[in-house]
Amino acid sequence: MKLKDKVAIITGSSKGIGAGIAKEYAREGAKVVVNYSSSKDYADRVVDEITQGGGTAIAVQADISKIEGITKLFEETRTAYGTLDILVNNASVWKYEMLEDVSEKTFQMQITTGLMAHIFCAQKAVSLFGEKGGSIINLSSTISLNPIPGTLIYCAVKAGVDSIAKTLAKELGPKNIRINTIAPGMTESEGSTADGRPGSAMEKYYLDQTPLGRVGLPKDIAKVAVFLASEDAGWVTGERITVAGGLL
């Protein structure tokens, strides 16, 4: 068990990639904090699946688009487990809109959860890691390097996520803290289903450019997240790993 007795927070982990990482971490022995903002039923299902499989998990409601929500998340983790070893900054929101439709509201919605929270969650994690150090994993996207129209703010956010890991790897390395980025391609999730992506022209466009010829699954991303959090990646920091079936 590569993560035996490690404590891990995964933000936005009631669904999709975050839920997949939470389940995989638990299978590898980690004690997991399943964070959610509003999807309590989904978070409880993830926790139930983990505990019924013999793992350890709690659900913590916290809106990490706000500093007080971030503080709550880490305080409840400290109360439950006393420490932290792994932070996965997974939570993000997106809205497809062309430049003329961008508003202050849609800008703030994406930037606070997808970028600001990564920074302040990292700040809290460093304190809770303590002298032993830890591992931070940020979720970016192939879109940060290969943007498409209608995703201006989301692409800017994900490019910022890439930069955070490069910068903090240098700043936090002396504290024995590693920070890396995973950039998934198109991945099956509740969010993508709600957006109508399955069978859409967008899905076909990306599949045509994906050498392995399929949409990713949360478990595809989760297995890489296990590697980056484990001692197998003890000499890996500041890296961006694309997990997208060959899509660039």
Side-chain angles (χ1 to χ4, degrees), residues 129 131-135 172-178 234:
F129 286 158
E131 293 184 0
K132 70 181 185 311
S135 175
L172 301 179
K175 297 182 179 181
N176 197 32
I177 296 171
R178 298 182 298 105

PDB file of all heavy atoms in Angstrom, residues 129 131-135 172-178 234:
ATOM      1  N   PHE A 129       1.615  20.241   7.264  1.00  0.00           N
ATOM      2  CA  PHE A 129       2.642  19.226   6.981  1.00  0.00           C
ATOM      3  C   PHE A 129       3.655  19.164   8.123  1.00  0.00           C
ATOM      4  O   PHE A 129       4.100  18.076   8.506  1.00  0.00           O
ATOM      5  CB  PHE A 129       3.402  19.565   5.686  1.00  0.00           C
ATOM      6  CG  PHE A 129       2.652  19.323   4.414  1.00  0.00           C
ATOM      7  CD1 PHE A 129       3.024  19.994   3.258  1.00  0.00           C
ATOM      8  CD2 PHE A 129       1.598  18.420   4.347  1.00  0.00           C
ATOM      9  CE1 PHE A 129       2.360  19.778   2.058  1.00  0.00           C
ATOM     10  CE2 PHE A 129       0.917  18.201   3.161  1.00  0.00           C
ATOM     11  CZ  PHE A 129       1.297  18.889   2.013  1.00  0.00           C
ATOM     12  N   GLU A 131       7.378  19.669   9.953  1.00  0.00           N
ATOM     13  CA  GLU A 131       8.769  19.455   9.564  1.00  0.00           C
ATOM     14  C   GLU A 131       8.981  18.231   8.683  1.00  0.00           C
ATOM     15  O   GLU A 131       9.992  18.132   7.990  1.00  0.00           O
ATOM     16  CB  GLU A 131       9.645  19.355  10.817  1.00  0.00           C
ATOM     17  CG  GLU A 131       9.727  20.664  11.603  1.00  0.00           C
ATOM     18  CD  GLU A 131      10.666  20.567  12.785  1.00  0.00           C
ATOM     19  OE1 GLU A 131      11.257  19.477  12.992  1.00  0.00           O
ATOM     20  OE2 GLU A 131      10.817  21.567  13.505  1.00  0.00           O
ATOM     21  N   LYS A 132       8.047  17.297   8.701  1.00  0.00           N
ATOM     22  CA  LYS A 132       8.203  16.070   7.902  1.00  0.00           C
ATOM     23  C   LYS A 132       8.043  16.322   6.412  1.00  0.00           C
ATOM     24  O   LYS A 132       8.432  15.503   5.577  1.00  0.00           O
ATOM     25  CB  LYS A 132       7.200  15.010   8.352  1.00  0.00           C
ATOM     26  CG  LYS A 132       5.759  15.323   7.993  1.00  0.00           C
ATOM     27  CD  LYS A 132       4.806  14.260   8.490  1.00  0.00           C
ATOM     28  CE  LYS A 132       3.388  14.500   8.037  1.00  0.00           C
ATOM     29  NZ  LYS A 132       2.857  15.841   8.245  1.00  0.00           N
ATOM     30  N   GLY A 133       7.433  17.456   6.044  1.00  0.00           N
ATOM     31  CA  GLY A 133       7.198  17.751   4.635  1.00  0.00           C
ATOM     32  C   GLY A 133       5.943  17.087   4.110  1.00  0.00           C
ATOM     33  O   GLY A 133       5.122  16.567   4.876  1.00  0.00           O
ATOM     34  N   GLY A 134       5.794  17.086   2.794  1.00  0.00           N
ATOM     35  CA  GLY A 134       4.598  16.504   2.194  1.00  0.00           C
ATOM     36  C   GLY A 134       4.601  16.659   0.688  1.00  0.00           C
ATOM     37  O   GLY A 134       5.612  17.021   0.082  1.00  0.00           O
ATOM     38  N   SER A 135       3.453  16.376   0.108  1.00  0.00           N
ATOM     39  CA  SER A 135       3.314  16.414  -1.346  1.00  0.00           C
ATOM     40  C   SER A 135       2.052  17.182  -1.718  1.00  0.00           C
ATOM     41  O   SER A 135       0.986  16.950  -1.136  1.00  0.00           O
ATOM     42  CB  SER A 135       3.240  14.999  -1.919  1.00  0.00           C
ATOM     43  OG  SER A 135       2.979  15.022  -3.314  1.00  0.00           O
ATOM     44  N   LEU A 172       9.478  25.595  -1.888  1.00  0.00           N
ATOM     45  CA  LEU A 172       9.172  24.655  -0.812  1.00  0.00           C
ATOM     46  C   LEU A 172      10.086  23.436  -0.764  1.00  0.00           C
ATOM     47  O   LEU A 172      10.043  22.669   0.201  1.00  0.00           O
ATOM     48  CB  LEU A 172       7.718  24.184  -0.944  1.00  0.00           C
ATOM     49  CG  LEU A 172       6.649  25.290  -0.890  1.00  0.00           C
ATOM     50  CD1 LEU A 172       5.263  24.695  -1.059  1.00  0.00           C
ATOM     51  CD2 LEU A 172       6.745  26.067   0.417  1.00  0.00           C
ATOM     52  N   GLY A 173      10.919  23.256  -1.784  1.00  0.00           N
ATOM     53  CA  GLY A 173      11.842  22.127  -1.777  1.00  0.00           C
ATOM     54  C   GLY A 173      12.685  22.026  -0.509  1.00  0.00           C
ATOM     55  O   GLY A 173      12.835  20.936   0.051  1.00  0.00           O
ATOM     56  N   PRO A 174      13.250  23.135  -0.018  1.00  0.00           N
ATOM     57  CA  PRO A 174      14.048  23.068   1.208  1.00  0.00           C
ATOM     58  C   PRO A 174      13.259  22.604   2.433  1.00  0.00           C
ATOM     59  O   PRO A 174      13.851  22.209   3.444  1.00  0.00           O
ATOM     60  CB  PRO A 174      14.539  24.514   1.387  1.00  0.00           C
ATOM     61  CG  PRO A 174      14.562  25.075   0.002  1.00  0.00           C
ATOM     62  CD  PRO A 174      13.366  24.462  -0.665  1.00  0.00           C
ATOM     63  N   LYS A 175      11.932  22.637   2.349  1.00  0.00           N
ATOM     64  CA  LYS A 175      11.087  22.164   3.450  1.00  0.00           C
ATOM     65  C   LYS A 175      10.634  20.719   3.239  1.00  0.00           C
ATOM     66  O   LYS A 175       9.746  20.230   3.938  1.00  0.00           O
ATOM     67  CB  LYS A 175       9.864  23.071   3.601  1.00  0.00           C
ATOM     68  CG  LYS A 175      10.209  24.500   3.980  1.00  0.00           C
ATOM     69  CD  LYS A 175       8.949  25.344   4.156  1.00  0.00           C
ATOM     70  CE  LYS A 175       9.312  26.765   4.567  1.00  0.00           C
ATOM     71  NZ  LYS A 175       8.106  27.611   4.769  1.00  0.00           N
ATOM     72  N   ASN A 176      11.235  20.052   2.260  1.00  0.00           N
ATOM     73  CA  ASN A 176      10.891  18.668   1.927  1.00  0.00           C
ATOM     74  C   ASN A 176       9.443  18.541   1.453  1.00  0.00           C
ATOM     75  O   ASN A 176       8.761  17.567   1.750  1.00  0.00           O
ATOM     76  CB  ASN A 176      11.144  17.729   3.109  1.00  0.00           C
ATOM     77  CG  ASN A 176      11.185  16.265   2.680  1.00  0.00           C
ATOM     78  OD1 ASN A 176      11.608  15.935   1.575  1.00  0.00           O
ATOM     79  ND2 ASN A 176      10.719  15.388   3.545  1.00  0.00           N
ATOM     80  N   ILE A 177       9.008  19.554   0.719  1.00  0.00           N
ATOM     81  CA  ILE A 177       7.669  19.532   0.149  1.00  0.00           C
ATOM     82  C   ILE A 177       7.795  19.497  -1.371  1.00  0.00           C
ATOM     83  O   ILE A 177       8.439  20.357  -1.968  1.00  0.00           O
ATOM     84  CB  ILE A 177       6.862  20.771   0.581  1.00  0.00           C
ATOM     85  CG1 ILE A 177       6.656  20.752   2.099  1.00  0.00           C
ATOM     86  CG2 ILE A 177       5.516  20.813  -0.145  1.00  0.00           C
ATOM     87  CD1 ILE A 177       6.067  22.028   2.651  1.00  0.00           C
ATOM     88  N   ARG A 178       7.210  18.483  -1.966  1.00  0.00           N
ATOM     89  CA  ARG A 178       7.204  18.351  -3.424  1.00  0.00           C
ATOM     90  C   ARG A 178       5.869  18.869  -3.969  1.00  0.00           C
ATOM     91  O   ARG A 178       4.831  18.678  -3.345  1.00  0.00           O
ATOM     92  CB  ARG A 178       7.389  16.892  -3.836  1.00  0.00           C
ATOM     93  CG  ARG A 178       8.711  16.292  -3.389  1.00  0.00           C
ATOM     94  CD  ARG A 178       8.877  14.861  -3.852  1.00  0.00           C
ATOM     95  NE  ARG A 178       7.874  13.960  -3.303  1.00  0.00           N
ATOM     96  CZ  ARG A 178       6.844  13.469  -3.962  1.00  0.00           C
ATOM     97  NH1 ARG A 178       6.652  13.788  -5.249  1.00  0.00           N
ATOM     98  NH2 ARG A 178       5.984  12.657  -3.382  1.00  0.00           N
ATOM     99  N   GLY A 234       9.679  10.327  -5.028  1.00  0.00           N
ATOM    100  CA  GLY A 234      10.427  11.098  -4.046  1.00  0.00           C
ATOM    101  C   GLY A 234      11.452  12.056  -4.625  1.00  0.00           C
ATOM    102  O   GLY A 234      11.901  12.972  -3.934  1.00  0.00           O
TER     103      GLY A 234
END
